[in-house]
Short mmCIF file of all heavy atoms in Angstrom, two decimals:
data_model
loop_
_atom_site.label_atom_id
_atom_site.label_comp_id
_atom_site.label_asym_id
_atom_site.label_seq_id
_atom_site.Cartn_x
_atom_site.Cartn_y
_atom_site.Cartn_z
N SER A 1 94.31 53.24 19.18
CA SER A 1 95.40 52.40 18.68
C SER A 1 95.14 50.92 18.96
O SER A 1 96.05 50.10 18.88
CB SER A 1 96.71 52.81 19.35
OG SER A 1 96.62 52.67 20.76
N THR A 2 93.89 50.58 19.28
CA THR A 2 93.56 49.20 19.65
C THR A 2 93.05 48.38 18.47
O THR A 2 92.73 47.21 18.62
CB THR A 2 92.50 49.19 20.76
OG1 THR A 2 91.32 49.87 20.30
CG2 THR A 2 93.02 49.88 22.01
N ASP A 3 92.96 48.99 17.28
CA ASP A 3 92.47 48.28 16.10
C ASP A 3 93.47 47.18 15.70
O ASP A 3 94.67 47.40 15.68
CB ASP A 3 92.29 49.26 14.94
CG ASP A 3 91.38 48.71 13.86
OD1 ASP A 3 91.40 47.49 13.64
OD2 ASP A 3 90.65 49.51 13.23
N ASP A 4 92.94 45.99 15.36
CA ASP A 4 93.80 44.88 14.96
C ASP A 4 94.30 45.01 13.53
O ASP A 4 95.20 44.27 13.13
CB ASP A 4 93.05 43.55 15.11
CG ASP A 4 92.80 43.18 16.57
OD1 ASP A 4 93.57 43.63 17.43
OD2 ASP A 4 91.84 42.43 16.83
N VAL A 5 93.72 45.90 12.74
CA VAL A 5 94.12 46.07 11.35
C VAL A 5 95.27 47.06 11.26
O VAL A 5 95.20 48.16 11.82
CB VAL A 5 92.93 46.54 10.49
CG1 VAL A 5 93.37 46.73 9.03
CG2 VAL A 5 91.77 45.55 10.57
N ALA A 6 96.32 46.68 10.53
CA ALA A 6 97.48 47.56 10.36
C ALA A 6 97.21 48.50 9.19
O ALA A 6 97.72 48.30 8.08
CB ALA A 6 98.73 46.73 10.13
N TRP A 7 96.43 49.54 9.44
CA TRP A 7 96.01 50.43 8.36
C TRP A 7 97.18 51.12 7.69
O TRP A 7 97.17 51.36 6.48
CB TRP A 7 95.01 51.46 8.90
CG TRP A 7 93.76 50.86 9.45
CD1 TRP A 7 93.41 50.73 10.76
CD2 TRP A 7 92.69 50.28 8.69
NE1 TRP A 7 92.21 50.10 10.88
CE2 TRP A 7 91.73 49.82 9.63
CE3 TRP A 7 92.44 50.10 7.33
CZ2 TRP A 7 90.54 49.20 9.23
CZ3 TRP A 7 91.28 49.48 6.93
CH2 TRP A 7 90.34 49.04 7.87
N PHE A 8 98.21 51.47 8.46
CA PHE A 8 99.33 52.18 7.86
C PHE A 8 100.19 51.27 6.99
O PHE A 8 100.94 51.75 6.14
CB PHE A 8 100.18 52.86 8.93
CG PHE A 8 99.63 54.21 9.32
CD1 PHE A 8 98.81 54.36 10.43
CD2 PHE A 8 99.91 55.33 8.55
CE1 PHE A 8 98.28 55.60 10.76
CE2 PHE A 8 99.38 56.57 8.87
CZ PHE A 8 98.56 56.71 9.99
N ALA A 9 100.09 49.97 7.17
CA ALA A 9 100.73 49.05 6.22
C ALA A 9 100.02 49.16 4.87
O ALA A 9 100.66 49.13 3.81
CB ALA A 9 100.68 47.62 6.74
N HIS A 10 98.70 49.31 4.89
CA HIS A 10 97.94 49.48 3.65
C HIS A 10 98.32 50.79 2.96
O HIS A 10 98.54 50.83 1.75
CB HIS A 10 96.44 49.47 3.94
CG HIS A 10 95.95 48.21 4.57
ND1 HIS A 10 94.62 47.99 4.88
CD2 HIS A 10 96.60 47.07 4.95
CE1 HIS A 10 94.49 46.80 5.42
NE2 HIS A 10 95.67 46.23 5.49
N ILE A 11 98.42 51.85 3.74
CA ILE A 11 98.77 53.15 3.17
C ILE A 11 100.20 53.11 2.61
O ILE A 11 100.47 53.61 1.51
CB ILE A 11 98.65 54.26 4.23
CG1 ILE A 11 97.20 54.36 4.74
CG2 ILE A 11 99.11 55.60 3.66
CD1 ILE A 11 96.18 54.66 3.66
N GLY A 12 101.10 52.50 3.36
CA GLY A 12 102.47 52.38 2.87
C GLY A 12 102.55 51.56 1.59
O GLY A 12 103.30 51.89 0.67
N GLY A 13 101.75 50.49 1.52
CA GLY A 13 101.72 49.68 0.31
C GLY A 13 101.17 50.45 -0.88
O GLY A 13 101.68 50.33 -2.00
N LEU A 14 100.12 51.22 -0.65
CA LEU A 14 99.56 52.04 -1.73
C LEU A 14 100.58 53.02 -2.27
O LEU A 14 100.74 53.16 -3.50
CB LEU A 14 98.33 52.80 -1.21
CG LEU A 14 97.05 51.99 -1.00
CD1 LEU A 14 96.05 52.78 -0.16
CD2 LEU A 14 96.44 51.61 -2.35
N LEU A 15 101.28 53.71 -1.40
CA LEU A 15 102.28 54.68 -1.84
C LEU A 15 103.44 53.99 -2.55
O LEU A 15 103.92 54.47 -3.58
CB LEU A 15 102.79 55.48 -0.63
CG LEU A 15 101.77 56.40 0.04
CD1 LEU A 15 102.37 57.03 1.30
CD2 LEU A 15 101.30 57.48 -0.93
N ALA A 16 103.87 52.85 -1.99
CA ALA A 16 104.97 52.12 -2.62
C ALA A 16 104.59 51.65 -4.02
O ALA A 16 105.37 51.78 -4.97
CB ALA A 16 105.36 50.92 -1.74
N GLY A 17 103.39 51.11 -4.15
CA GLY A 17 102.94 50.63 -5.45
C GLY A 17 102.82 51.75 -6.46
O GLY A 17 103.20 51.59 -7.64
N ALA A 18 102.29 52.90 -6.02
CA ALA A 18 102.11 54.03 -6.94
C ALA A 18 103.45 54.57 -7.44
O ALA A 18 103.55 55.03 -8.58
CB ALA A 18 101.33 55.14 -6.23
N VAL A 19 104.48 54.49 -6.60
CA VAL A 19 105.80 54.99 -7.00
C VAL A 19 106.55 53.95 -7.83
O VAL A 19 107.11 54.25 -8.89
CB VAL A 19 106.62 55.39 -5.76
CG1 VAL A 19 108.06 55.71 -6.15
CG2 VAL A 19 105.98 56.58 -5.06
N LEU A 20 106.56 52.70 -7.37
CA LEU A 20 107.36 51.68 -8.03
C LEU A 20 106.85 51.30 -9.41
O LEU A 20 107.63 50.89 -10.27
CB LEU A 20 107.42 50.43 -7.14
CG LEU A 20 108.24 50.53 -5.86
CD1 LEU A 20 108.09 49.28 -5.02
CD2 LEU A 20 109.71 50.78 -6.19
N VAL A 21 105.54 51.42 -9.62
CA VAL A 21 105.01 51.03 -10.92
C VAL A 21 105.55 51.92 -12.05
O VAL A 21 105.66 51.48 -13.20
CB VAL A 21 103.46 51.05 -10.91
CG1 VAL A 21 102.94 52.48 -10.87
CG2 VAL A 21 102.90 50.31 -12.13
N LEU A 22 105.93 53.13 -11.74
CA LEU A 22 106.38 54.07 -12.77
C LEU A 22 107.65 53.60 -13.48
O LEU A 22 107.69 53.55 -14.71
CB LEU A 22 106.56 55.47 -12.17
CG LEU A 22 105.31 56.07 -11.51
CD1 LEU A 22 105.63 57.44 -10.93
CD2 LEU A 22 104.17 56.17 -12.52
N PRO A 23 108.71 53.23 -12.75
CA PRO A 23 109.90 52.76 -13.47
C PRO A 23 109.83 51.30 -13.90
O PRO A 23 110.61 50.88 -14.77
CB PRO A 23 111.02 52.95 -12.44
CG PRO A 23 110.34 52.82 -11.12
CD PRO A 23 108.98 53.42 -11.30
N LEU A 24 108.93 50.51 -13.30
CA LEU A 24 108.93 49.07 -13.56
C LEU A 24 107.98 48.64 -14.67
O LEU A 24 108.13 47.56 -15.23
CB LEU A 24 108.57 48.30 -12.27
CG LEU A 24 109.61 48.37 -11.15
CD1 LEU A 24 109.09 47.63 -9.91
CD2 LEU A 24 110.94 47.79 -11.60
N LYS A 25 106.99 49.45 -14.99
CA LYS A 25 106.01 49.05 -16.01
C LYS A 25 106.68 48.96 -17.38
O LYS A 25 107.68 49.64 -17.66
CB LYS A 25 104.85 50.03 -16.06
CG LYS A 25 105.19 51.40 -16.62
CD LYS A 25 103.99 52.31 -16.65
CE LYS A 25 104.31 53.65 -17.30
NZ LYS A 25 104.61 53.52 -18.73
N SER A 26 106.11 48.13 -18.25
CA SER A 26 106.61 48.02 -19.62
C SER A 26 106.41 49.33 -20.36
O SER A 26 105.48 50.09 -20.07
CB SER A 26 105.89 46.89 -20.36
OG SER A 26 106.10 45.65 -19.71
N SER A 27 107.27 49.59 -21.33
CA SER A 27 107.20 50.85 -22.07
C SER A 27 105.89 50.99 -22.85
O SER A 27 105.45 52.11 -23.11
CB SER A 27 108.39 50.96 -23.02
OG SER A 27 108.40 49.87 -23.94
N ASP A 28 105.27 49.85 -23.20
CA ASP A 28 104.02 49.92 -23.95
C ASP A 28 102.79 49.78 -23.06
O ASP A 28 101.69 49.51 -23.54
CB ASP A 28 103.98 48.84 -25.03
CG ASP A 28 104.05 47.43 -24.46
OD1 ASP A 28 104.50 47.29 -23.30
OD2 ASP A 28 103.67 46.48 -25.17
N ALA A 29 102.98 49.96 -21.75
CA ALA A 29 101.87 49.93 -20.80
C ALA A 29 101.63 51.36 -20.31
O ALA A 29 102.27 51.81 -19.36
CB ALA A 29 102.17 49.01 -19.62
N PRO A 30 100.73 52.10 -20.94
CA PRO A 30 100.55 53.51 -20.59
C PRO A 30 99.84 53.70 -19.25
O PRO A 30 99.01 52.86 -18.85
CB PRO A 30 99.70 54.05 -21.74
CG PRO A 30 98.91 52.86 -22.19
CD PRO A 30 99.83 51.67 -22.03
N LEU A 31 100.16 54.76 -18.57
CA LEU A 31 99.39 55.15 -17.40
C LEU A 31 98.02 55.66 -17.84
O LEU A 31 97.88 56.23 -18.92
CB LEU A 31 100.13 56.24 -16.61
CG LEU A 31 101.42 55.84 -15.90
CD1 LEU A 31 102.05 57.07 -15.27
CD2 LEU A 31 101.17 54.77 -14.85
N PHE A 32 97.02 55.45 -16.99
CA PHE A 32 95.66 55.94 -17.25
C PHE A 32 95.17 55.49 -18.62
O PHE A 32 94.63 56.28 -19.40
CB PHE A 32 95.61 57.47 -17.13
CG PHE A 32 96.29 58.00 -15.90
CD1 PHE A 32 97.44 58.78 -16.01
CD2 PHE A 32 95.81 57.69 -14.64
CE1 PHE A 32 98.08 59.26 -14.87
CE2 PHE A 32 96.45 58.17 -13.50
CZ PHE A 32 97.57 58.95 -13.61
N ASP A 33 95.36 54.22 -18.91
CA ASP A 33 95.00 53.66 -20.22
C ASP A 33 93.51 53.84 -20.49
O ASP A 33 92.67 53.48 -19.67
CB ASP A 33 95.36 52.17 -20.25
CG ASP A 33 95.19 51.56 -21.62
OD1 ASP A 33 95.04 52.32 -22.59
OD2 ASP A 33 95.23 50.32 -21.71
N ARG A 34 93.20 54.40 -21.63
CA ARG A 34 91.81 54.63 -22.02
C ARG A 34 91.35 53.71 -23.14
O ARG A 34 90.19 53.76 -23.55
CB ARG A 34 91.60 56.09 -22.45
CG ARG A 34 91.77 57.09 -21.32
CD ARG A 34 91.52 58.51 -21.79
NE ARG A 34 91.57 59.44 -20.68
CZ ARG A 34 90.54 59.75 -19.90
NH1 ARG A 34 89.37 59.18 -20.12
NH2 ARG A 34 90.66 60.61 -18.91
N SER A 35 92.25 52.88 -23.63
CA SER A 35 91.86 51.99 -24.73
C SER A 35 90.98 50.88 -24.20
O SER A 35 91.12 50.44 -23.06
CB SER A 35 93.10 51.40 -25.39
OG SER A 35 93.84 50.64 -24.45
N PRO A 36 90.03 50.38 -25.02
CA PRO A 36 89.16 49.29 -24.56
C PRO A 36 89.95 48.02 -24.36
O PRO A 36 90.92 47.76 -25.08
CB PRO A 36 88.15 49.14 -25.71
CG PRO A 36 88.86 49.69 -26.89
CD PRO A 36 89.74 50.80 -26.38
N PRO A 37 89.60 47.20 -23.36
CA PRO A 37 90.33 45.95 -23.13
C PRO A 37 90.30 45.07 -24.37
O PRO A 37 89.27 44.89 -25.01
CB PRO A 37 89.55 45.30 -21.97
CG PRO A 37 88.84 46.41 -21.30
CD PRO A 37 88.50 47.39 -22.40
N GLN A 38 91.46 44.53 -24.73
CA GLN A 38 91.56 43.64 -25.88
C GLN A 38 92.62 42.60 -25.58
O GLN A 38 93.74 42.93 -25.21
CB GLN A 38 91.94 44.43 -27.14
CG GLN A 38 92.04 43.57 -28.40
CD GLN A 38 92.32 44.41 -29.62
OE1 GLN A 38 92.07 45.61 -29.62
NE2 GLN A 38 92.82 43.78 -30.66
N ALA A 39 92.27 41.37 -25.71
CA ALA A 39 93.18 40.29 -25.37
C ALA A 39 94.35 40.23 -26.34
O ALA A 39 94.24 40.62 -27.50
CB ALA A 39 92.44 38.95 -25.37
#
C-alpha cells in the first residue's frame, strides 16, 4: 500500500466513464463504431 499512484482512482474512473457514456453520448454516435474516420 506504499505506492504513490492512486490506482483505484484510475479503475473507478474507467468504470464511471464506461457507464456514463451510454446515456450521455449523442444518438448518432454509435458504440463500437466501425466506420472509417471522416471529418
Side-chain angles (χ1 to χ4, degrees):
S1 60
T2 59
D3 199 326
D4 290 335
V5 179
W7 299 106
F8 276 97
H10 300 182
I11 299 301
L14 285 166
L15 294 174
V19 172
L20 289 174
V21 71
L22 302 178
L24 293 177
K25 71 179 183 67
S26 300
S27 59
D28 62 340
L31 291 176
F32 313 114
D33 188 13
R34 293 182 175 273
S35 61
Q38 181 176 340

